[in-house]
Amino acid sequence: MTVPIVIASRPRDKVHVPTVTLAHGGGGKAMKDLIDDVFVETFDNPLLAALDDQARPELAEFARLGDRVAFTTDSFVVDPLIFPGGDIGKLAVCGTVNDLAVGGAIPLYLSCGFIIEEGVSIDLLRRIARSMAAAAREAGVQIVTGDTKVVNKSACDKMFITTAGIGAIPPDLRLDVGRVRADDLVLVNGLLGDHGAAILAARGDLALEAPIASDCACLAGLIAALLTAAPDTRFIRDPTRGGIATVLNEIAQAARVAIEIEETATPLREEVRAFCEILGLDPLYLANEGKIVAVVPPEQAQQAIAAMREHPLGRAAGIVGRVTSGQPGRVTMQTILGGSRIVDMLVGEQMPRIC
Amino acid sequence: MKYVDEYRDPVKARALVHEIETLASSIKTSADRPIQIMEVCGGHTHSIFRYGIEGMLPKSVELVHGPGCPVCVLPMGRVDDCVAIAERPEVIFTTFGDAMRVPGSRKSLLQAKAEGADIRMVYSPMDALALARRNPTREVVFFGIGFETTIPSTALTVLQAEREGIKNFSVFCNHITIVPTIKAILDSPDLHLDGFLGPGHVSMVIGTAPYEFIARFYGKPMVVAGFEPLDILQSIWMVLKQIKESRSEIENQYARVVPTQGNARALRALARVYELREFFEWRGLGSIDHSGVKLRAAYARFDAERKFAVPNAKMADPKSCQCGEVLKGVIKPWQCKVFGTACTPETPLGALMVSSEGACAAYYQYGGVRGQRTEPVAEARAV
């Protein structure tokens, strides 16, 4: 009697070891199982499921949405991997989406490359992947191609993620730092410094208990609302590493303008303010992962703020300063006392005060 | 009351500035120069620049930035000693952040770290001791810098290490004391100071009595000041008031933190673990008697200077460096020949451009020149 050979479909949960090993990066069966189980299953889209050497979205899709392609890349090496408000995966997706969105692009597709230190827990990897999938779903993007490498112990710090993102820029949009001019107003969408403070607190070096969560979020929706309300917006950038001070200096230098901000108008969460006070850190230099700096013409500022405040990520939106015809490249701040001081580019890293 | 916002009230600040203007205009100075008040402490320098206080004062009052920044006065040779210890493979070298950037004769600690030395930033000496506990096969060295503000915490850490019998922990002691610093300033022939803002946190430890000699023998007023803008403005006003009334006293504006008699427990720990060195080398100021402390013989096993052989070389500052003159307040930062050109925060020649409390770094960052002078360069006073 012949027994029919039933080829069962592959079981969902394919990886049965607790930690990542060099085999998982070796290109063989272990790696395929890891990719299927952790990534393909989780990111769940047909372009990725094909698992070709490249993803092949239709050109027509881009042409339908815009007349230019926006293309960006970023690497994520944050420590700790998981922190209040997010994790390295969420950060990777949001950071890449935001880099596209601040250029006015509709974000469409992401790639992600993982470099994983052997010994990392598979459950941790699954958790990070799920977090990325959730962030991607919320942002309306798909992760369609990727790469996985596993390195020896200590050859990298647990996990590094490199992404690239691609989107389409609608035809009439001309966001360009060169358009920034005197009398333009500088807006932000909320409280500053959350991410930087959250990461420092989460590292645990400080023996400080600080209930601060990262503001990590995808800003494409907020930016779309802003651009609808204020179509002549000159320029948008997200103040990540180096904080708002760095972005303002970049704008001032690139546009050859002066920018003046008001200390009373730079919104901070009470806990972040206290955190900075104790350590002697300047919140203007702390990273943000859910914030934008937008330069808008004065006559569109009110509707820009109103539109942002309608959006969950912009409830505390406001004007922080303005572009002036002062010394080009210079950023100054009116202190709460009424004095004035320069807000310079950060040199090296911020070091907490000694005494 | 949070002790922060209340002391930054802009309405009260404006009122104080107005009082300062009124008072200053009623004071007749003997020479044709502004009233010069030196803030000794680097924390005050930082605060003054960060809030733009200098620009709010009338032209008749000038703030002179003093040498009370422990990182700024680190001589290059001492940094070389740190690097030598840190480069030993068995050592974990721990230090406060700012000190990592000070240039040595070949490299800074930050550069040594990039080249592979195990150098770690800590926020307190207790962190260093914790590292020693966790790494029994490594030698943990803590770079002790700071005035009397930080000496007690290092002392208490050494006492804790002694209690626990920890054998792999030591301190490379570069702690300095404030009184000889102030005395060196007062004895300097280049300066014509009319009064002082006294260091707030050092005084929290040592009290106000040690400063009596300033009033008694040198006839200068000093007001121990807090660090918030209203503290500083009120203290300036108090100094001016003394000048107007021809008084010279030590007053305490920072009474909410500074007890007149200081902190007895901190002083006891300090005295138990440390003794004065005969003399100590200061960047830009040369050798000052009894200005530094070292671990007593009883604590020799916690003394990195005894544990490790260090080059201990006296390195001359670069020729173009005018750190000493800026430290003494003889010239302003932007009057230094290399300020903003050869010496910038990215490429510091001297420590004053490195530390967040250094006058040069503060001026560069907050009041910047960047190669373009925004005010006329006054003649540097003859040295």
Side-chain angles (χ1 to χ4, degrees):
Chain A
M1 193 164 97
T2 54
V3 177
I5 298 168
V6 178
I7 299 171
S9 62
R10 294 190 121 171
R12 304 222 124 174
D13 216 25
K14 291 168 191 166
V15 182
H16 300 294
V17 292
T19 60
V20 176
T21 66
L22 289 171
H24 289 118
K29 191 169 176 301
M31 184 168 117
K32 188 168 190 328
D33 284 347
L34 182 82
I35 292 172
D36 277 346
D37 182 331
V38 176
F39 299 120
V40 177
E41 181 73 32
T42 315
F43 296 156
D44 190 26
N45 63 77
L47 281 172
L48 179 63
L51 277 182
D52 287 323
D53 283 337
Q54 75 290 138
R56 297 182 298 275
E58 296 281 327
L59 206 52
E61 187 186 359
F62 289 84
R64 250 192 327 270
L65 295 168
D67 63 356
R68 281 152 295 162
V69 161
F71 181 38
T72 187
T73 186
D74 215 335
S75 288
F76 299 89
V77 298
V78 68
D79 175 46
L81 292 180
I82 298 175
F83 44 85
D87 57 53
I88 189 174
K90 182 181 177 191
L91 198 59
V93 171
C94 294
T96 313
V97 164
N98 292 345
D99 275 347
L100 292 171
V102 293
I106 300 163
L108 293 168
Y109 301 108
L110 261 53
S111 72
C112 75
F114 279 82
I115 298 178
I116 309 169
E117 186 187 10
E118 66 172 334
V120 161
S121 136
I122 295 280
D123 277 344
L124 174 63
L125 196 56
R126 284 204 185 100
R127 178 181 170 165
I128 302 291
R130 275 198 291 271
S131 181
M132 294 177 79
R137 257 192 311 275
E138 199 175 309
V141 299
Q142 292 176 350
I143 302 170
V144 295
T145 188
D147 182 66
T148 311
K149 295 286 186 297
V150 180
V151 294
N152 289 312
K153 205 110 189 75
S154 304
C156 87
D157 184 15
K158 298 185 280 291
M159 191 184 302
F160 295 156
I161 302 178
T162 300
T163 56
I166 194 163
I169 305 176
D172 299 320
L173 217 43
R174 291 271 173 270
L175 291 167
D176 181 352
V177 73
R179 293 175 60 226
V180 170
R181 64 187 86 132
D183 296 329
D184 284 345
L185 293 174
V186 182
L187 275 51
V188 297
N189 63 311
L191 305 175
L192 300 169
D194 286 2
H195 180 80
I199 295 297
L200 279 175
R203 285 219 185 108
D205 306 328
L206 296 167
L208 270 180
E209 293 207 1
I212 303 170
S214 167
D215 61 337
C216 182
C218 288
L219 296 164
L222 175 83
I223 292 170
L226 165 66
L227 291 172
T228 306
D232 292 322
T233 298
R234 315 282 195 217
F235 187 69
I236 308 173
R237 184 164 278 168
D238 55 340
T240 54
R241 280 196 191 199
I244 183 176
T246 301
V247 167
L248 292 175
N249 272 281
E250 286 170 350
I251 294 174
Q253 281 169 25
R256 308 293 306 141
V257 295
I259 297 178
E260 194 180 279
I261 59 175
E262 304 273 330
E263 187 170 12
T264 48
T266 53
L268 296 176
R269 205 173 296 282
E270 213 33 60
E271 294 88 340
V272 171
R273 199 158 84 95
F275 186 80
C276 289
E277 287 291 337
I278 293 180
L279 293 175
L281 296 173
D282 189 336
L284 295 179
Y285 295 98
L286 289 180
N288 305 271
E289 292 291 338
K291 298 292 172 306
I292 52 167
V293 173
V295 183
V296 304
E299 63 276 7
Q300 292 185 357
Q302 283 316 310
Q303 57 255 49
I305 292 171
M308 285 200 280
R309 287 193 183 160
E310 292 277 301
H311 193 281
L313 296 174
R315 300 273 186 244
I319 301 172
V320 296
R322 56 198 189 93
V323 180
T324 69
S325 45
Q327 191 176 334
R330 176 156 285 187
V331 180
T332 52
M333 181 166 84
Q334 286 286 105
T335 71
I336 47 174
L337 281 192
S340 176
R341 63 144 168 133
I342 291 181
V343 178
D344 203 353
M345 285 283 221
L346 198 57
V347 177
E349 282 182 67
Q350 263 203 98
M351 305 276 194
R353 297 249 311 275
I354 293 178
C355 56
Chain B
M1 173 112 167
K2 284 189 184 164
Y3 293 100
V4 173
D5 291 335
E6 299 85 347
Y7 288 85
R8 297 178 188 176
D9 182 337
V11 172
K12 294 205 175 77
R14 273 194 296 278
L16 271 169
V17 169
H18 180 74
E19 294 294 320
I20 287 171
E21 280 165 351
T22 314
L23 195 46
S25 59
S26 73
I27 296 173
K28 295 205 180 3
T29 49
S30 52
D32 183 26
R33 55 171 179 78
I35 301 163
Q36 287 171 339
I37 301 174
M38 171 178 275
E39 91 274 1
V40 177
C41 165
H44 284 139
T45 311
H46 183 92
S47 209
I48 285 164
F49 278 108
R50 188 229 175 286
Y51 288 102
I53 290 176
E54 206 158 20
M56 295 168 76
L57 297 173
K59 292 262 181 294
S60 52
V61 178
E62 188 185 297
L63 294 176
V64 179
H65 313 302
C69 162
V71 172
C72 304
V73 296
L74 269 177
M76 268 209 301
R78 214 61 182 156
V79 174
D80 291 344
D81 292 345
C82 289
V83 169
I85 297 175
E87 283 177 340
R88 297 171 74 108
E90 75 275 18
V91 167
I92 301 176
F93 193 85
T94 61
T95 171
F96 295 131
D98 264 2
M100 288 170 76
R101 287 199 287 240
V102 182
S105 63
R106 287 177 306 124
K107 58 181 105 157
S108 66
L109 282 167
L110 202 59
Q111 285 161 330
K113 178 173 163 39
E115 287 168 20
D118 193 346
I119 298 170
R120 307 191 198 182
M121 180 169 77
V122 291
Y123 297 87
S124 107
M126 287 300 221
D127 293 342
L129 189 60
L131 269 175
R133 269 186 223 109
R134 284 202 300 271
N135 297 274
T137 55
R138 306 282 300 281
E139 281 291 325
V140 175
V141 179
F142 175 71
F143 186 29
I145 43 179
F147 287 92
E148 287 92 333
T149 319
T150 54
I151 302 180
S153 56
T154 319
L156 289 167
T157 307
V158 169
L159 291 173
Q160 180 68 19
E162 182 189 46
R163 265 197 293 280
E164 291 182 34
I166 293 180
K167 297 203 176 8
N168 59 327
F169 175 77
S170 59
V171 175
F172 186 56
C173 182
N174 222 81
H175 285 301
I176 42 186
T177 55
I178 197 74
V179 163
T181 320
I182 299 176
K183 193 165 178 306
I185 297 287
L186 286 162
D187 286 337
S188 171
D190 326 308
L191 295 176
H192 311 278
L193 297 170
D194 301 299
F196 290 90
L197 292 187
H201 292 146
V202 167
S203 307
M204 175 182 73
V205 173
I206 69 175
T208 55
Y211 307 120
E212 285 295 331
F213 74 98
I214 300 168
R216 216 119 13 95
F217 301 128
Y218 291 89
K220 303 285 180 190
M222 174 189 269
V223 175
V224 173
F227 295 88
E228 297 300 333
L230 291 193
D231 289 321
I232 295 171
L233 288 170
Q234 182 179 26
S235 303
I236 292 171
W237 183 86
M238 286 166 73
V239 170
L240 290 172
K241 191 128 198 313
Q242 287 203 39
I243 294 172
K244 167 102 177 120
E245 293 168 4
S246 302
R247 287 182 291 128
S248 53
E249 291 166 16
I250 309 302
E251 292 184 293
N252 183 2
Q253 184 277 340
Y254 202 21
R256 67 185 186 277
V257 167
V258 174
T260 318
Q261 69 283 8
N263 185 313
R265 188 151 178 258
L267 288 168
R268 269 201 304 275
L270 198 161
R272 188 163 152 199
V273 175
Y274 291 102
E275 59 189 1
L276 279 174
R277 295 181 198 258
E278 251 197 84
F279 51 81
F280 201 53
E281 175 82 21
W282 289 56
R283 186 186 183 109
L285 298 174
S287 180
I288 303 182
D289 287 348
H290 300 133
S291 61
V293 298
K294 65 177 180 198
L295 283 135
R296 288 184 187 275
Y299 296 94
R301 63 196 181 287
F302 299 109
D303 188 347
E305 270 174 275
R306 288 171 166 113
K307 249 180 161 171
F308 304 99
V310 288
N312 203 16
K314 214 178 129 134
M315 305 298 308
D317 293 335
K319 262 215 167 96
S320 46
C321 187
Q322 292 182 272
C323 288
E325 291 159 86
V326 179
L327 276 168
K328 286 191 287 197
V330 175
I331 59 172
K332 286 277 199 281
W334 44 262
Q335 290 171 311
C336 168
K337 287 191 293 291
V338 287
F339 176 83
T341 52
C343 188
T344 65
E346 292 95 351
T347 55
L349 286 184
L352 279 116
M353 193 55 94
V354 161
S355 168
S356 62
E357 293 174 6
C360 297
Y363 206 97
Y364 192 95
Q365 202 199 354
Y366 294 126
V369 174
R370 216 91 74 270
Q372 274 178 286
R373 307 217 177 219
T374 53
E375 39 187 35
V377 180
E379 288 295 308
R381 282 180 288 283
V383 177

